[in-house]
Amino acid sequence: MNGKLNARRVETLNEPGRYGDGGNLWLHIGPTGGRSWVFRFKRDGRQREMGLGPVDLVPLAEARRRAVEHRRTLWEGRDPLAVRKAEKAAHRLEEAKTVTFAEAVQRYIEAHQDGWKNPKHRQQWVNTLATYAEPVFGGLPVAEIDTDLVLRAVEPVWKRAPETASRLRGRIESVLDWATARGLRKGENPARWKSHLENLLPARSRVAAVEHHKAVPWRDMPDAWPRIAKAAGMGAAALRFAILTACRSGEVRGACWAEIDLEAREWSIPAERMKASKAHR
């Protein structure tokens, strides 16, 4: 029977504990003063609870109405917690119908960009997907992206620029995996390579042979160095600096005066600019 509490009592109660209103509805006041409504019920011999919202957002009358709905659900033989979970899943699927792939890309980048060391990495993601994927299905709901759409974006690039196409496919796969984890789509990832697109696209090694940049054998460096030393321009100077410090080209190109102590003849590269995320001197 309801009615053990009233609005005035709910407003003035502040002692931590639980206060019953009847009909499975309880007011819960936590140790720090947090106040919320709880629906307590027994299901399959187990005592269970589900929150109905904080007191400052859900007034007593609304809490009672929600408790009545959940008691009706119990009377119908259903679990209120399971019903609410299913309703939330359905809501997420409805949301997915309005979230486009382009929006999913933006949300994925916002979620991951803090973990990317190089600021250019974000721009590369934006450019690759904006150039090749979004013209094909950027405006479509992320839940509707299928294998055919992925192939329409990737296949034209696969033969002429396999490295770009491979990155494109991987980035589409990552965005779709994120969307699945967020409940915005269901099923297998249509951009997955293993046991899926590998059966529909030729291997990169067969499309274009990998061509590495030529390197000077270390034994030939004494003969090559005089020519490198005479070369003019910033690029030549950066090359000499990279050779003498044995650092990666990206570390050299990103160097700034604040990292260099001319008097001590030291170059200190901060951890965020190192591949292993450890400072290097």
Side-chain angles (χ1 to χ4, degrees), residues 46-165:
R46 292 173 54 204
Q47 189 68 42
R48 308 187 70 185
E49 296 183 354
M50 67 186 297
L52 302 184
V55 170
D56 59 341
L57 295 179
V58 181
L60 176 59
E62 174 64 16
R64 286 174 174 169
R65 186 190 66 78
R66 295 184 183 186
V68 169
E69 290 181 355
H70 296 316
R71 288 202 305 275
R72 183 180 296 115
T73 298
L74 284 170
W75 178 77
E76 292 171 350
R78 298 182 295 158
D79 183 342
L81 284 169
V83 170
R84 183 162 69 178
K85 183 177 180 181
E87 289 173 349
K88 287 183 176 180
H91 177 73
R92 285 195 297 269
L93 286 176
E94 281 300 313
E95 182 188 5
K97 295 178 181 178
T98 63
V99 176
T100 65
F101 179 80
E103 291 169 338
V105 169
Q106 184 60 37
R107 288 166 63 176
Y108 175 91
I109 291 174
E110 289 172 356
H112 291 81
Q113 61 185 352
D114 289 343
W116 294 337
K117 299 181 203 175
N118 191 338
K120 291 183 180 179
H121 194 52
R122 181 188 191 281
Q123 199 57 46
Q124 289 170 346
W125 264 77
V126 172
N127 292 345
T128 303
L129 294 170
T131 301
Y132 302 107
E134 291 182 18
V136 178
F137 48 74
L140 294 178
V142 69
E144 295 182 10
I145 308 304
D146 58 15
T147 301
D148 181 61
L149 288 169
V150 172
L151 285 173
R152 283 169 57 187
V154 174
E155 207 164 15
V157 197
W158 195 261
K159 292 183 179 179
R160 72 171 187 271
E163 179 64 29
T164 299

Side-chain angles (χ1 to χ4, degrees), residues 1 4 11 31 44 47 53 59 69 90 100 114 128 143 145 160 164 191 204 243 245 257-258 264 267-268:
M1 180 177 176
K4 293 182 181 180
E11 185 179 340
D44 299 327
Q47 189 68 42
E69 290 181 355
T100 65
D114 289 343
T128 303
I145 308 304
R160 72 171 187 271
T164 299
R204 283 172 51 197
I243 293 171
T245 59
W257 285 114
W267 175 27
S268 300

Side-chain angles (χ1 to χ4, degrees), residues 249-265:
S249 63
E251 294 157 6
V252 170
R253 287 183 282 111
C256 59
W257 285 114
E259 298 174 356
I260 297 173
D261 185 339
L262 292 175
E263 186 174 337
R265 300 172 66 85

